[in-house]
Amino acid sequence: MKVAIFSTKKYDQESLDAANKEAGHELHYFETRLTSETCSLVKGFDAVCVFVNDSVDRTVIQAMAEGGVRLLALRSAGFNHVDLKAAKEFNITVARVPAYSPYAVAEHTLALILALNRHIHRAYNRVRERNFALDGLLGFDIYGKTIGVIGTGQIGTVFTKLMSGFGCELLGCDPNPSKDCKELGMKYVQLEEMFERSDIISLHCPLTPETHHLINGPAVSKMKDGVMLINTSRGAIVDTRALIDGLKSEKIGSVGLDVYEEEADLFFEDLSDEVIQDDVFARLLTFPNVLITGHQGFFTEEALKSIAETTLENITAFETGQGHIHKVG
Ligand code: NAI
């Protein structure tokens, strides 16, 4: 298959080329994101392959169909960036990578919690400046604290296992409770109870119309004073303005983010010479108790290899009609 691959960095090319040695597809790499402005590039390809910040809306799907594309292969588990209704209408098959490494994201979530709690991001800079004062670096024992996990699928379950190792009380919220989490002693509760009781709340549910701005002003107001909030799932699950209000009033104690609702214009690029135009994001960067990483939860060697292999398996299965294709919808 002749495949147009968008939003590619050097590390994507390396992992996809390695996985393609056996598959033998014709891979064309584009650094640009796929959007309605760049969608003329898809003409003449059999398949298009995208990542999380490509915007596969109706215009893009129509351009794909008119250009002869029959398969959209996502290099992600989430598919909130694709207009599935339009894909069905234009007869484009959508495939994804349902699971690659839940450990990658769960371990990154833990890294954010530990760094935030013990202010490692601030301590690192202080020590480099030979400032060994401890004021402002006070943390708390994670042992014995209550952890609220929203979404206990693959990543949420691995994260729950990690937190259970710290000796935490575990609260879960998920329409499909996990047997593994229950065995670890997790108690499934309504969101309201989780907000009221949790010292740390971590989001691991998908972005859907139901979960859009799940964490908003009223939700924050129900939380414990000084709560730590972590989002490594999808940015728009959190209303960023409500987060900022919660931080300013000191209702929220600390925030760790690997995702941001308007990240498409920022993340994965080196913007160190540019002026940031997003004032909401710029405000977030000013808080000493906010730690942001640029959507790197998935970024481990194992996950990249697995994403590349499953993506090419999907493409081969679609072409040959043999093997399993991980279809969306
Ligand atoms: P999964 O599909 O295994 O688990 C999602 C869980 O959320 C399911 O158990 C589902 O029942 C639950 N859920 C759905 N709606 C809910 C709601 N309204 N309230 C509470 N729970 C709800 O997905 P997985 O693999 O665990 O991934 C979770 C999310 O992590 C993905 O949707 C994606 O957005 C994000 N992700 C982030 C990455 C990163 O690099 N930061 C990388 C990979 C995934």
Side-chain angles (χ1 to χ4, degrees):
M1 299 264 279
K2 195 175 165 198
V3 190
I5 309 183
F6 287 87
S7 295
T8 52
K9 301 286 181 200
K10 192 164 164 276
Y11 45 81
D12 296 308
Q13 295 194 20
E14 282 169 3
S15 58
L16 285 160
D17 282 344
N20 194 40
K21 278 200 180 118
E22 250 180 57
H25 295 289
E26 191 183 322
L27 307 184
H28 293 253
Y29 294 107
F30 295 97
E31 277 182 39
T32 180
R33 280 169 54 214
L34 179 61
T35 64
S36 51
E37 273 108 57
T38 61
C39 63
S40 58
L41 291 168
V42 304
K43 198 168 175 224
F45 285 93
D46 304 308
V48 163
C49 179
V50 298
F51 198 45
V52 288
N53 287 333
D54 292 296
S55 173
V56 194
D57 59 16
R58 195 182 171 78
T59 311
V60 174
I61 298 271
Q62 189 168 352
M64 283 168 54
E66 286 168 5
V69 174
R70 292 170 296 136
L71 172 70
L72 174 64
L74 312 180
R75 303 200 297 285
S76 60
F79 45 83
N80 51 283
H81 51 311
V82 179
D83 184 338
L84 292 179
K85 207 165 146 243
K88 197 168 177 201
E89 187 184 323
F90 287 98
N91 202 23
I92 290 186
T93 301
V94 183
R96 67 178 181 134
V97 182
Y100 38 95
S101 169
Y103 308 102
V105 185
E107 288 169 13
H108 189 71
T109 307
L110 180 59
L112 287 175
I113 291 174
L114 294 178
L116 264 177
N117 179 33
R118 305 306 288 267
H119 310 273
I120 304 295
H121 52 304
R122 300 185 69 199
Y124 170 79
N125 285 323
R126 279 192 195 184
V127 170
R128 284 171 69 93
E129 296 296 326
R130 292 163 296 284
N131 173 358
F132 303 104
L134 298 184
D135 310 72
L137 303 185
L138 190 66
F140 55 81
D141 285 5
I142 291 180
Y143 168 78
K145 293 295 180 295
T146 301
I147 313 295
V149 186
I150 303 183
T152 54
Q154 298 177 82
I155 296 169
T157 297
V158 174
F159 173 70
T160 300
K161 284 182 187 162
L162 296 176
M163 296 318 292
S164 129
F166 281 80
C168 294
E169 188 181 347
L170 304 165
L171 299 181
C173 182
D174 193 311
N176 305 300
S178 143
K179 193 168 151 279
D180 287 355
C181 290
K182 280 185 177 170
E183 278 169 11
L184 290 166
M186 177 170 266
K187 192 175 161 225
Y188 280 89
V189 294
Q190 297 297 317
L191 266 185
E192 196 126 326
E193 184 178 345
M194 176 181 287
F195 291 154
E196 281 165 13
R197 291 182 51 199
S198 301
D199 300 293
I200 300 173
I201 296 175
S202 192
L203 302 174
H204 301 286
C205 56
L207 173 61
T208 62
E210 201 195 19
T211 62
H212 182 266
H213 285 189
L214 184 76
I215 304 299
N216 54 17
V220 170
S221 69
K222 289 179 194 132
M223 292 177 191
K224 262 188 167 178
D225 289 347
V227 64
M228 180 190 285
L229 199 65
I230 307 287
N231 186 9
T232 58
S233 193
R234 284 291 181 268
I237 299 172
V238 175
D239 176 354
T240 315
R241 287 171 197 275
L243 210 57
I244 289 172
D245 289 344
L247 283 157
K248 281 167 77 177
S249 67
E250 298 183 22
K251 174 78 181 169
I252 299 178
S254 54
V255 169
L257 302 176
D258 188 46
V259 286
Y260 167 59
E261 51 185 327
E262 302 298 335
E263 70 177 48
D265 293 331
L266 298 166
F267 287 3
F268 304 127
E269 303 303 329
D270 179 359
L271 304 180
S272 49
D273 285 335
E274 316 249 331
V275 174
I276 297 232
Q277 299 297 331
D278 181 335
D279 291 349
V280 175
F281 187 75
R283 180 67 176 102
L284 267 185
L285 292 179
T286 66
F287 294 99
N289 48 350
V290 172
L291 184 51
I292 305 177
T293 51
H295 207 137
Q296 68 175 82
F298 73 99
F299 201 53
T300 65
E301 287 172 18
E302 291 79 359
L304 279 188
K305 184 167 181 284
S306 177
I307 290 170
E309 286 173 356
T310 306
T311 299
L312 288 162
E313 276 163 26
N314 280 336
I315 295 169
T316 302
F318 178 82
E319 183 184 31
T320 61
Q322 285 169 359
H324 184 64
I325 171 162
H326 301 279
K327 275 192 198 171
V328 180

